[in-house]
Amino acid sequence: MGTTSQVLYSLLALSQSSLAFVLPQSAFQQAVAANAVDAAPLPLVIWHGLGDNYKADGLRNVGNLAQEINPGTYVYYIRLDDDPSDDKTATYYGNLNEQLAKVCTDLAEHPILSTAPAINAIGFSQGGQFMRGYVERCNQPPVANLITFGSQHTGINEFMNCADDDWVCNGKNKFLKGQVWSDYAQSNLVPAQYYRNVGDLENYLEHSNFLADINNERDVKNDTYALNMKKLQKFIMYVFARDSIVMPKESGWFGQVNETTGENTKLVDTELYGQDWIGLKVLYEQDRLELRSTGGDHMQIGEDDFKQVFKHDLTLKKDSLPWKPDVQGEEL
């Protein structure tokens, strides 16, 4: 393991609630078999964050609560490897485009999810922008409601939050940033693939392996990304008010902060929104985009927040879908 990857692995262990519990399959399977999918809750798909694995206890608690509030909910936890240890490693190392392609295939071929008219999706931390990437690039089965917690939709401009007088931390942060645009980092180090410094957009647009593409920031746009995003019933983004991990935390709302000047550009003032590169302007104007804040540090999510999500945001049934699964975005 090289110096760059050793530093990343040892210092970027963002402590996040792991959220992995596969609920009993019988309820949704029975509804499908009885041709009564209208009465079944939509399946819930969850993508965990950095340093987590799909079988962690925190995810199990979230899954239990989802089933308690909406009985019969089928919950699937995205994994890049069936071995929890290797799944955790994949949150640090790997090519995000290849990882996303695998997830797209897994969901499209899943015996339960592939029978659903739509799914609900939650992404925790980096899993939020990855889940959004799924919507944009694949979306089969289609996502009805997408909810992200503390995600990095416009990237990170620091790998670690260092105190001013912590020379060791600052030195390692500087080292990582100096390597970030290398072919190795952009092909192998997961956080590097969503690094974005507004003061260095030229290198970002040239070298970014993942984020620049799913944010449709390059000159040649992928119209499918906006079309798929505009099919969402709801896109809800949570930011942690006291987030000490994600730099900048405003990235969870597609905000941008200039590392040098400290200037904060809100979503509605960005080109991404104004030119509607990924459909957010349409969602916002139609009251289908919500920006929410919760009071804790990174991944400190209260039960009340989860109850809000499960009781009010993820209760959509097939018979109340506002669109047909094959509808074009501009028809909304």
Side-chain angles (χ1 to χ4, degrees), residues 14 62 80 132 227 261 325:
L14 308 185
V62 174
L80 293 165
R132 174 169 62 86
L227 290 175
T261 66

Side-chain angles (χ1 to χ4, degrees), residues 111 114 136 138 163 176 179 200 213 262 287:
S114 62
E136 294 179 14
C138 308
L176 287 170
Q179 302 295 316
D200 190 19
D213 179 73
D287 295 323

